[in-house]
Every structure is written in structure tokens, then in C-alpha cells.
Amino acid sequence: MAESAVSFLLNHLSEWIGHEKQLIGSLGENAEFIRDEMGRMRAFVRMADEKQEVDPLLKEWLNQVRDIAYDAEDVLDKFVLRFPSRRRDGFSGRITQIYASVKNLKTRRRLASEMHAIRSRVSRVLEGQQRYRDIYGGASGREYVRDETALWYDGRGDALLLEEAEVVGIEKPKKQLIEWLSSTGRTRGGLKVISVVGTGGLGKTTLVRKVYEDDASVKTLFSCHVWMNVSSSFKLDVFLRTMIRRLVGEVKQPPPQGLETMDADEMKEFVYKFLQSRSYIIVLDDIWRLDAWEAIRYAFPRSGTRGSIIIITTRFQSISHTASIESNGHVYSMEPLSQEESKTLFCRKAFLGSSCPSYLEEIAGIILNKCEGLPLAIVVIGSLLATKNNNIEEWRKFHRSLGDELEGNHLRGMTRLLSLSYYDLPYYLKSCFLYLSIFPGDRSVYMLRLIRLWISEGFIQPKEGKTLEEVAEDYVKELFNRSLIQLEETPNYDRSIRVRVHDLLHTMIISKSREQGFVTIANSSQDTQWPANKIRRVAIHGSIEDMAGIKGCQHLRSVLVLDNVNTLTAITLSDFLRNLSKLLKVLELRGTLSSGKIPDEVFKFYHLKYLGLKYSKVKSIPRLIGKLENLETLDLRNTQVTELPVEILKLGRLRHLMVYNLYIRNRGYHPFDDVHSCRIPYRIGSLSSLQTLSDIDATRADVDTTVVKEIGKLTQLKELGVMKLRQEDGKDLCTSLAKLTRLETLHIASSQEDEVLDLLDPVSPTPPIRSLELRGRLLLLHGLTRLLLRWSRIENNDDDPLEHLQNLPNLMYLELSHAYQGDGICFKAAGFQRLKKLWLIRLEGLESVKVEEGSMPVLRELYIWGCKLVGEAPSGIEHLSDLQYVDFSDMSDGFVAKLEKQKEEEEAGNLQSFEMQISVRNLRSFEMRISIDNLRALRCNIRR
């Protein structure tokens, strides 16, 4: 974590010195010294970050380095804050403005003195660095290699911790792996690579060990068997020598002469020749680096008398897929234990095989839920609880102090296992991963929200040819690749929009965050431990009225109110904000304000980059908003703001402006006016950095002028929502859309329910839109993955209403709501080949739905709501072999009667089994459960 702080400071210093050096004299000299010395120190800091667990003095030295980096950053930002007039255009103009605004040198001298003091502290920690170099050895850049004996944890001990978990939940994956082994071992299929991938503690090594030791599947199929531990400390020459010794030991031969002096290429050649005439199975356990696989892959022959197998275990998705795909092999993704399997294993450990006492069931369930099916966690925690003699008070005490227990001796092995992945992260990902500790552990967070916060915090490093948002998405993918986060599937099946962390990993990173002063969690239901060191970030999971400990924290950079239990008046919030540091960069106040006014104190945070007011009762944005010149994200969703002042145009760095209010009267239904949009200044096109703009009015209130033409100037836009469009706006809108070559999400709606949107004007080039919500005429784009047609009211004629949709090659989500007035819809063969989710909502004239064989082959979910004239379930539904969920709601009495009749039949069409349950209370609800291959549930709700 210290490396992250140092690296961020170096980037900040380099940029700042380049712009300000000629203005600040000795301040610049000291800044250059700090930059150069901290740069030379960074490589050693990287090594020290890993070794601090075994050396408390080294940990303290790292804390000093981190504090220096933070303090230097504060001095730089104070300079910008004290001399705001330097922001004027033109270099010479800025010089004049600075010296004209400084009436005395008191502030200037104080800043220079602070920087000089930091320089002195850097000199002192350099002395400490030299002492630790003598102990641990030097390290710089790529010359640094981990010393396995010096690390505090040996990853190869994982299997030992999981031995007793082997009989729970292992049958299915073992059967699958043995099937793959057998099919390869009995053929001349050449080499196959099987990868077993999953987060630490899922039991990968245990599973593969049990397969490897299976006499029938391994011993008789392969003539050569070797198990190799790779781990994060991989060294090529050591690995190859060990492998050679084990290979020749299999045939009871001595190692080759000169083995100790062979180089890597000679050893790989020996391995290749030795295996060339044999069928072999080699396990490479715990691979951490793709380059480790690349270094050894060609040592294994690709053909032999019979098929051969390499089994890889890894935490990294990229390694598993890269290694297996080139041999047309297999990837097995380890899954957590089911609830039933978890309970069985837990009882076996906590109660020595007996059942859970009734008085412990509730607390046992809570603790077990924390484990989330992780076998390692269940075994270790269950074993510890077995020592509590079934004392309920001891169990409750353990649960309350679970975070501290993870740091204790009893659970240290498991904590170190989880921490190993954290310490392996590159510096730029450590901050991003720790940032997830800010959010409550029992919920996920929207990926786009997380990305915007990362950018505002300064965690994202620019890359040529990519926006910061695209780089941040790469960071998310890398954390997922390392099995550190989970991604939740989205409704459009195109990209994951929610991110979450395993509960125990979350507990671990909260501990790391607290230990390193990264974030303080303030919870009004518990006593908050305000750290003695400098607080940088505060996440409030309660009421901010109780957060007295924040007062006077002059180094605070971020305040996030995530679960405020009480809304606040502007006066109360003003008192709270008045005590915050003026260097604040992130202010998230969602759901906090109970009055319509934003306190003036908000607009004194010049460095503010992120302002979140979602779900608050704000009614207007004052003209003071123009003072927040560094603002990048303004989140006004679901507020009562209906118009933005012209001063918003001063925010030249604004990247994301979300300002709509979504209003749904009945859950599941979308009335025409469910989105309340916002009026914006006409010259919105001057905000050239905007990537998100949703949802805005197409016209202004004071004059009948459209902003549709201005939209075409926002060439960085990726998401756009425009409401209240008129028919005559169609041509200008198409012209503007043609210029938005990065646009991915588009929401457009007409001004009135009966107004037709004329979007037939050709759009070229077509933007790469993936999600389209349209209330008007259809705009066809082949890049669509998600399409919502609401209130389009396509008329019934000879043309098939689905003709233009069924061939869209990437469409995965389709919603038709008040969108069609015909009496029948037919999903034709070979249509909608990638569609996974289908909604038909209130199609008032619809009488029948037909599905031809070959249509929608991968459809998973089907929803038909409020189609009162539909008399029976879709014809041909049995062709949907991938269907998993069906939901009929608000259907007619005839529909219900038809299903009742089907229930009485022994077989219903091609249905393999049919089961219906009806709760009768004036027949207000109707539920049907049905089993067709993969179909899991069919639910019908009838409302009158």
C-alpha cells in the first residue's frame, strides 16, 4: 500500500513540477528532491510491502514513507487552493495573476517551509532504507525476485488445510475431471491441458490431489506421473531441476550427469526427450504467473503413443484459459459449496459430526453465511468453534469480533492465504481493491459507480489510446481474473455491472484498510475506532450526526455517506461540512439532504471531483456550482432538480452528468412519463469532456430552442438520454448521433405519448450502440445487445413486427412494452439467435404467441405481463431448451382456466412433468411450477 501512495505522489509531483517550477523557487527545488529520492525508493518499498508481516519495524518504516507521500500531496494541493487565480489561460497571464493576488509572502513561506520539512523526513527514511537493504538485500525494478524462504506464507500448504474437507462437495467435480482424463488417456489425442481455476480456499489442490491419486483413472492410464508445486515464488531453473529428479525417479534412474550445471534450455530439452515416448500426467499446482507457464510449456511433447495430460491449478482466469485453449483442453471453474454441503461440513468440524444444537442454529447460520461456501473458511472456523464447547455466548462473541479473530493466531493461516492474493497485486490495483472495503460487505456495487470513484480518487493511471474509464474497466477485469472479485450478470447479458467481494475477503480488506489508514468505517450502531494517524477516507454506514470524530481531520480526502439512517437539514449538513478539509476530492451524500437546498459549504471544495446527491430532496442547483472547476462526476439522479444553471458550462472537466428522476407507479410497469428529465443550458456542447449525459429535455423552458444540434458536439459521449423530442427533431437528432462514434447507450422519448418520432433519416456512420430504449419509431442498429421499445404502438399490418428485429446479430435483451397493437406475434425459426431475456408487457391487442423450432435457442427468461387477450401459454414453448425461468403476471381468467385444464391432463403437450399450485382468494394469485429440461420455475400472477 505504501508503494501505491509513493507512485501516486511521483505522478503528481512530475506533473506539478512541470507546470509550476518557474513560479515557486525553493519550493520547486525541494519538490524535485522528494520526487527523485522517492523514485529511487519505490522498488525497495515494493519488496518491503510484502515482508512487513514478519518485521514490525519494517512495517513502521513503511508507515513513515506512506505518511510522507500523503503530506507531500497535501502541500501540492494546498498551493493550488491558496492561489486559485493561477488557473487563468496563458502562462505569462498566470504569473501576473499569482503575484498580483499575493499581498504578502506569509502563506508562500509556510508552504515552502512545509515542503522543506518533508524533504528532511525523506532524508531520514533513506537512512532506514539502507539498514533494511543490508538485511533483505537490494531490489530494483525487474531485478527483484521473491525469496520463497523469506515470505511469511507458503502457498503449497493449502491442501493440508483442506484435507478434511475432501469428502464434501467433491464428487461432481472429481467425476468430471476423471471423465476428461479417461477420454484423453485411452486415445491418441496428444497433449491436453486441464485447468482448475478459482479463488484461494475453494479446494482446487484437494480436488486435483484426489483425482491424481485415483488408481483407476491415473495409475493405469498414464505411464509417468509427476506432481509439481509452482506457487508465486516460481524460479525456472529450480523448477526444472526438481521436475527432472522426479521424472527419473519414476523409472528408478539416477539424475543425469551435470544436472546442477545445466541451463534452462538444456533441462527443457531433457524433459522433452524423456516424455516424448511416454504417456504422462503432470500436475502444475498453484500457477501465479502466465510467464511461468510460457517458460515451461514447450518442455512438454504434444504427441505420444497415447494421450497425455497436464493439470493446472490457478487463481487466474487468464492463465487457465490461455493454457487450455491452445490444446483444445478443458477449464473447470471451482464453485463454492452449496448451502447443504456447507452445513454438512460445518457440523462435521464444529460439532464433530453431530447435528447443530437448536439454540445455536441461528448464530451458526449467520457465521456460515459469512463463509459463503468457501471450504477452507468452513473448516478453519468450524474447527475453532469446536473449542467453544457449544457455549452460545462464546459463539456470539466470536461473531462480533470476527475481523479481530481473523488476525489472531487461530485463524492466521486462513487470513494469510487470503492475503497472499492481495500482496501479489501490482501497486495500482492495491488501492482499487482496498477501496471495496468502503462499501458494506453484504451487497454489491455498480461497476460504473466504482469506476467513477476510482478515477476521482486518482487511482487510475492514464494509458495512451484509452480513456480513464476504459483503463478502469481493465482493472476490474484484472481483479476478476485474479479471483478477488465476483461479477454479477446484467439484464442485458453484455457486461457485468455489479461487483462484489467474498464476505471473508471483505473482512480481510477492512482489516488492511484500517491498519494502513486507508479508510475508516463509521457505523453509528458500533463504536467507531477513529485512528490516531491521519484519516484519508471515511465511509459512513449510519448517521453523520454522530460523526464527531471527523472534525479537524485536515488530511481528509473522501467522505462517502452510504447508509445514512436519518436525512439532514441543510443547516445540520452545513455544520458537518464546515469541519471537513478543503482538500476534499470525493463527497457522496446520497439520500442525506431533507431540504431542497445544497449548503454553500459544498462549493468551497475546489479540489472536488465527485459530488453524489442521488436520492436526496435537492430541488435546485445554485450558481455557485461554477466554482467546482475540477468536478468530473455530478450525480443528481432521483432528485427533484428540473433545471441546471448556465454556470454548469464552466465545469470543463465534467465527464459524467446524471440528472434524471425515475418514477414507477406500479412495480414492473413503465408508464410513458416514468422518467422526469431536466432542462439544461443551450450551449451544452461546450462541455466537450462529457461521456455521460442523461436524461435531458430536448427543449428549453424559456425559449422554444432545441439542444439536439448541440449534442453532436459531445463527441466523447458513451451514454445519452434525451426526452421530450418532437417529430421535427428527428433529422437533427440523426445528424448528431452520426457524430457520436463512441455512443453505447441511448435512451430517447417523444414529448407526447401520441407524438411520432421520425428517425428514418439515415445515420452514417452508425455509432456502436449496445443498449437502446426508444419511445417512438424504430431505429435499427446491428450492434445492439439490449433493446427496449416502450409506447411505440407499432400498428398491425401485413408486415411482421419482429421482422427487423429477429436478425439483429447481437441482441440479448428485448422488451416490448405498449409497443405493438397486432393480434399475434410469431418468433420464427432461426430468429433471435442470441436472445436471452424477453419481456412482453401490456400488448393490448395481442391474442397469441408462437415460437417456431429453432427460434431463440438460448433464451433463458420469458416474461409475459398484462396481455389480457392471450388465452394460453406460447405455442411451441417446448422448443426453448435453455429456458430457465418463466413469469406470467396479470393475465386473463381464460388464461387461468386453460392452465387448470392442462393440469388435469396426464401429459400437457411435450411437457415431461407438470405441477400446479393455486392459492384461492378470489383467484388473485396463481402459481405454476413446471419442469422442461433446464426450466427451473414458471410463475403466473393474476391480478384483478
Side-chain angles (χ1 to χ4, degrees):
M1 190 59 215
E3 184 189 3
S4 300
V6 170
S7 297
F8 180 74
L9 172 64
L10 290 174
N11 294 333
H12 198 18
L13 273 170
S14 296
E15 180 181 358
W16 189 79
I17 291 172
H19 286 92
E20 314 295 342
K21 180 180 176 181
Q22 297 183 37
L23 304 179
I24 53 181
S26 62
L27 191 59
E29 294 175 6
N30 289 328
E32 286 184 321
F33 175 86
I34 295 170
R35 178 195 61 186
D36 296 342
E37 295 304 326
M38 295 288 269
R40 283 189 280 270
M41 195 186 303
R42 178 165 52 177
F44 183 80
V45 168
R46 182 181 307 134
M47 179 274 292
D49 238 359
E50 294 187 353
K51 297 182 184 295
Q52 62 177 302
E53 293 295 327
V54 294
D55 191 334
L57 294 178
L58 186 59
K59 179 182 290 190
E60 178 57 32
W61 180 82
L62 284 171
N63 289 338
Q64 294 174 16
V65 173
R66 186 174 61 247
D67 287 345
I68 289 174
Y70 287 156
D71 289 346
E73 179 191 347
D74 287 349
V75 172
L76 301 183
D77 287 344
K78 284 178 185 176
F79 181 87
V80 176
L81 186 65
R82 299 295 172 84
F83 302 103
S85 56
R86 52 176 276 285
R87 304 187 303 270
R88 299 297 175 84
D89 293 336
F91 182 75
S92 60
R94 291 202 301 270
I95 295 178
T96 302
Q97 292 290 337
I98 286 177
Y99 286 98
S101 65
V102 179
K103 297 180 179 179
N104 62 66
L105 298 178
K106 182 177 179 180
T107 299
R108 187 183 183 85
R109 287 171 178 168
R110 184 168 68 247
L111 293 174
S113 176
E114 290 179 9
M115 189 64 81
H116 182 76
I118 291 172
R119 174 175 178 165
S120 299
R121 290 164 63 189
V122 170
S123 298
R124 289 195 295 271
V125 298
L126 285 172
E127 297 174 4
Q129 177 185 344
Q130 187 56 52
R131 289 197 301 270
Y132 287 109
R133 278 184 182 276
D134 295 339
I135 298 173
Y136 293 107
S140 61
R142 297 183 61 86
E143 297 175 4
Y144 168 59
V145 180
R146 290 178 176 82
D147 178 6
E148 183 178 3
T149 61
L151 286 175
W152 45 261
Y153 176 77
D154 185 357
R156 292 172 294 183
D158 295 2
L160 297 177
L161 293 170
L162 291 171
E163 285 297 330
E164 299 177 60
E166 62 192 19
V167 295
V168 176
I170 204 172
E171 295 82 7
K172 180 180 176 182
K174 181 181 177 183
K175 180 180 178 181
Q176 178 64 79
L177 293 186
I178 288 177
E179 181 182 323
W180 288 338
L181 289 179
S182 301
S183 63
T184 300
R186 292 192 174 95
T187 65
R188 294 180 176 270
L191 176 65
K192 296 279 188 183
V193 178
I194 297 174
S195 297
V196 180
V197 63
T199 190
L202 274 177
K204 302 181 295 294
T205 298
T206 299
L207 167 63
V208 174
R209 174 66 75 179
K210 300 310 293 181
V211 172
Y212 180 77
E213 293 174 349
D214 190 285
D215 289 338
S217 62
V218 175
K219 303 299 183 185
T220 60
L221 293 176
F222 305 97
S223 61
C224 186
H225 322 81
V226 171
W227 181 287
M228 293 294 300
N229 296 305
V230 183
S231 80
S232 60
S233 58
F234 173 79
K235 295 179 181 178
L236 180 59
D237 54 346
V238 174
F239 174 88
L240 290 171
R241 287 192 184 95
T242 303
M243 174 177 278
I244 290 173
R245 292 191 183 97
R246 293 180 184 177
L247 287 172
V248 297
E250 279 274 299
V251 295
K252 296 181 171 51
Q253 293 179 2
Q257 291 185 353
L259 176 60
E260 297 301 323
T261 60
M262 285 184 182
D263 61 25
D265 290 336
E266 291 171 329
M267 287 189 283
K268 283 191 282 188
E269 184 179 0
F270 179 89
V271 172
Y272 186 91
K273 290 180 178 179
F274 183 90
L275 295 174
Q276 194 168 26
S277 59
R278 294 176 168 87
S279 61
Y280 58 90
I281 178 170
I282 296 176
V283 176
L284 304 176
D285 186 34
D286 200 22
I287 293 185
W288 281 72
R289 295 283 182 272
L290 184 58
D291 57 9
W293 166 248
E294 296 288 346
I296 60 179
R297 55 187 284 210
Y298 291 114
F300 306 114
R302 302 281 155 167
S303 60
T305 55
R306 283 207 310 241
S308 296
I309 290 286
I310 291 177
I311 301 180
I312 287 174
T313 70
T314 182
R315 304 182 185 197
F316 300 87
Q317 300 283 345
S318 59
I319 295 176
S320 64
H321 288 281
T322 300
S324 296
I325 196 170
E326 63 184 13
S327 68
N328 197 27
H330 306 280
V331 175
Y332 190 89
S333 296
M334 291 289 290
E335 297 289 339
L337 297 180
S338 68
Q339 188 173 4
E340 182 178 351
E341 291 168 340
S342 298
K343 187 175 181 179
T344 299
L345 178 58
F346 184 75
C347 289
R348 186 167 298 158
K349 297 305 301 172
F351 309 112
L352 303 180
S354 300
S355 59
C356 176
S358 58
Y359 65 90
L360 286 177
E361 284 185 357
E362 182 178 358
I363 187 66
I366 295 172
I367 294 174
L368 196 54
N369 286 338
K370 288 278 186 184
C371 297
E372 293 189 14
L374 194 68
L376 173 70
I378 296 171
V379 168
V380 176
I381 290 178
S383 298
L384 177 60
L385 289 172
T387 68
K388 306 294 185 183
N389 299 320
N390 293 350
N391 185 313
I392 190 170
E393 289 304 321
E394 289 292 319
W395 280 55
R396 287 172 176 166
K397 181 179 177 182
F398 172 83
H399 172 251
R400 289 194 299 268
S401 61
L402 182 56
D404 294 332
E405 291 284 355
L406 286 172
E407 298 175 4
N409 291 329
H410 294 292
L411 302 182
R412 189 174 295 276
M414 182 179 67
T415 306
R416 287 174 173 174
L417 172 67
L418 299 176
S419 297
L420 188 60
S421 294
Y422 165 74
Y423 282 112
D424 184 68
L425 288 172
Y427 77 89
Y428 58 86
L429 283 182
K430 285 182 179 176
S431 296
C432 294
F433 185 49
L434 284 188
Y435 202 77
L436 288 164
S437 66
I438 283 178
F439 305 97
D442 58 350
R443 69 184 65 173
S444 56
V445 57
Y446 278 104
M447 185 176 74
L448 291 181
R449 180 187 177 198
L450 181 64
I451 283 174
R452 290 163 187 159
L453 286 167
W454 280 353
I455 292 172
S456 299
E457 295 278 2
F459 296 158
I460 308 303
Q461 303 297 313
K463 285 187 179 179
E464 187 175 355
K466 287 189 173 184
T467 65
L468 292 177
E469 286 76 8
E470 290 168 340
V471 176
E473 283 195 39
D474 291 341
Y475 287 9
V476 172
K477 293 174 184 175
E478 190 168 351
L479 288 172
F480 173 72
N481 171 48
R482 292 169 174 267
S483 301
L484 287 173
I485 62 173
Q486 301 163 6
L487 301 180
E488 295 183 354
E489 198 171 47
T490 64
N492 63 1
Y493 296 96
D494 180 41
R495 65 163 72 177
S496 296
I497 59 172
R498 281 189 175 271
V499 176
R500 73 179 303 270
V501 182
H502 188 285
D503 216 359
L504 287 176
L505 269 176
H506 187 264
T507 302
M508 184 271 290
I509 61 177
I510 285 179
S511 175
K512 296 290 181 190
S513 294
R514 182 173 62 245
E515 174 186 299
Q516 300 180 13
F518 184 79
V519 63
T520 296
I521 308 296
N523 193 332
S524 58
S525 63
Q526 301 175 3
D527 290 334
T528 301
Q529 297 179 359
W530 297 101
N533 59 343
K534 300 162 185 175
I535 300 173
R536 304 292 292 185
R537 299 172 186 87
V538 171
I540 300 175
H541 299 179
S543 173
I544 68 174
E545 293 176 302
D546 301 323
M547 301 301 109
I550 296 181
K551 293 183 178 180
C553 296
Q554 295 305 307
H555 302 277
L556 196 62
R557 292 309 182 95
S558 303
V559 174
L560 296 96
V561 181
L562 301 177
D563 286 308
N564 187 42
V565 296
N566 299 311
T567 55
L568 304 175
T569 65
I571 295 176
T572 304
L573 185 58
S574 294
D575 293 338
F576 170 76
L577 297 174
R578 197 171 292 118
N579 292 290
L580 298 183
S581 166
K582 293 301 181 287
L583 303 180
L584 208 67
K585 289 185 177 180
V586 173
L587 184 58
E588 173 74 277
L589 297 173
R590 61 170 48 199
T592 297
L593 270 172
S594 62
S595 63
K597 186 178 184 299
I598 304 175
D600 290 349
E601 279 72 17
V602 169
F603 307 104
K604 296 177 182 178
F605 300 121
Y606 169 72
H607 288 288
L608 200 64
K609 293 186 176 183
Y610 185 105
L611 178 57
L613 297 169
K614 188 177 182 181
Y615 297 127
S616 63
K617 296 183 180 180
V618 174
K619 294 181 179 179
S620 63
I621 302 299
R623 299 175 64 181
L624 290 172
I625 189 72
K627 291 188 173 184
L628 302 180
E629 297 182 12
N630 290 295
L631 199 64
E632 296 176 348
T633 295
L634 179 57
D635 188 354
L636 298 172
R637 289 173 293 177
N638 291 95
T639 64
Q640 299 175 27
V641 175
T642 59
E643 186 169 5
L644 294 179
V646 70
E647 283 74 16
I648 199 79
L649 302 181
K650 294 181 179 180
L651 309 185
R653 298 182 180 180
L654 196 62
R655 304 162 75 89
H656 306 285
L657 176 58
M658 296 88 73
V659 67
Y660 61 83
N661 185 1
L662 183 61
Y663 174 63
I664 301 177
R665 296 190 187 93
N666 299 310
R667 185 175 181 271
Y669 293 114
H670 298 270
F672 181 81
D673 58 348
D674 64 344
V675 177
H676 297 175
S677 51
C678 179
R679 293 185 293 272
I680 60 173
Y682 171 63
R683 297 295 180 186
I684 191 67
S686 63
L687 296 181
S688 58
S689 297
L690 275 180
Q691 296 183 26
T692 305
L693 180 60
S694 62
D695 285 344
I696 61 169
D697 285 3
T699 57
R700 291 177 56 186
D702 52 346
V703 292
D704 189 23
T705 305
T706 180
V707 299
V708 173
K709 290 182 179 179
E710 284 286 305
I711 291 173
K713 299 177 182 179
L714 303 174
T715 56
Q716 302 298 310
L717 274 183
K718 290 187 176 181
E719 180 178 344
L720 172 64
V722 186
M723 308 290 111
K724 298 185 179 180
L725 286 159
R726 302 164 300 181
Q727 182 173 2
E728 56 266 31
D729 294 328
K731 183 175 181 179
D732 288 339
L733 178 61
C734 290
T735 301
S736 290
L737 291 178
K739 300 174 183 178
L740 306 183
T741 57
R742 297 188 176 189
L743 194 64
E744 297 177 356
T745 300
L746 176 62
H747 301 160
I748 51 179
S750 60
S751 58
Q752 301 292 334
E753 183 177 335
D754 57 353
E755 181 148 11
V756 177
L757 287 181
D758 185 2
L759 300 178
L760 298 181
D761 211 65
V763 178
S764 179
T766 303
I769 295 177
R770 295 190 292 189
S771 176
L772 172 64
E773 179 180 334
L774 175 66
R775 305 181 192 204
R777 245 181 220 186
L778 182 61
L779 176 65
L780 286 180
L781 298 168
H782 288 280
L784 283 179
T785 61
R786 188 170 185 263
L787 176 60
L788 297 88
L789 297 180
R790 296 173 178 168
W791 298 91
S792 300
R793 299 196 176 188
I794 301 172
E795 295 181 0
N796 186 18
N797 51 39
D798 295 334
D799 295 332
D800 184 345
L802 301 180
E803 179 180 356
H804 300 294
L805 302 179
Q806 63 183 357
N807 294 321
L808 292 177
N810 298 301
L811 192 64
M812 299 183 186
Y813 178 108
L814 175 63
E815 177 185 320
L816 302 179
S817 177
H818 297 273
Y820 175 58
Q821 296 180 333
D823 57 4
I825 286 182
C826 178
F827 294 88
K828 295 184 177 179
F832 297 102
Q833 291 298 293
R834 296 190 65 188
L835 194 67
K836 296 184 179 181
K837 199 169 195 177
L838 172 64
W839 294 74
L840 303 177
I841 301 176
R842 293 202 176 184
L843 305 183
E844 297 172 356
L846 189 66
E847 298 177 4
S848 65
V849 179
K850 181 179 180 181
V851 180
E852 294 184 356
E853 187 172 2
S855 178
M856 302 184 289
V858 296
L859 191 72
R860 297 182 189 173
E861 301 178 32
L862 172 63
Y863 299 81
I864 301 181
W865 289 1
C867 298
K868 298 286 190 178
L869 300 184
V870 173
E872 60 183 5
S875 170
I877 191 174
E878 66 273 11
H879 301 316
L880 305 177
S881 59
D882 276 9
L883 200 60
Q884 297 177 357
Y885 186 84
V886 178
D887 187 351
F888 296 133
S889 292
D890 198 13
M891 304 298 283
S892 67
D893 291 345
F895 186 90
V896 176
K898 182 73 173 179
L899 291 179
E900 286 178 329
K901 183 179 179 180
Q902 285 181 303
K903 178 181 182 294
E904 297 172 358
E905 299 176 359
E906 207 169 70
E907 279 188 34
N910 292 322
L911 303 184
Q912 296 178 350
S913 66
F914 191 95
E915 181 181 330
M916 187 183 305
Q917 299 174 357
I918 303 178
S919 56
V920 181
R921 185 177 296 173
N922 295 327
L923 205 58
R924 291 182 181 275
S925 67
F926 177 90
E927 181 176 327
M928 179 174 71
R929 294 195 176 278
I930 187 171
S931 172
I932 313 178
D933 295 334
N934 296 325
L935 188 64
R936 295 174 183 170
L938 169 64
R939 186 176 74 244
C940 309
N941 296 314
I942 313 303
R943 303 182 185 91
R944 295 181 176 178

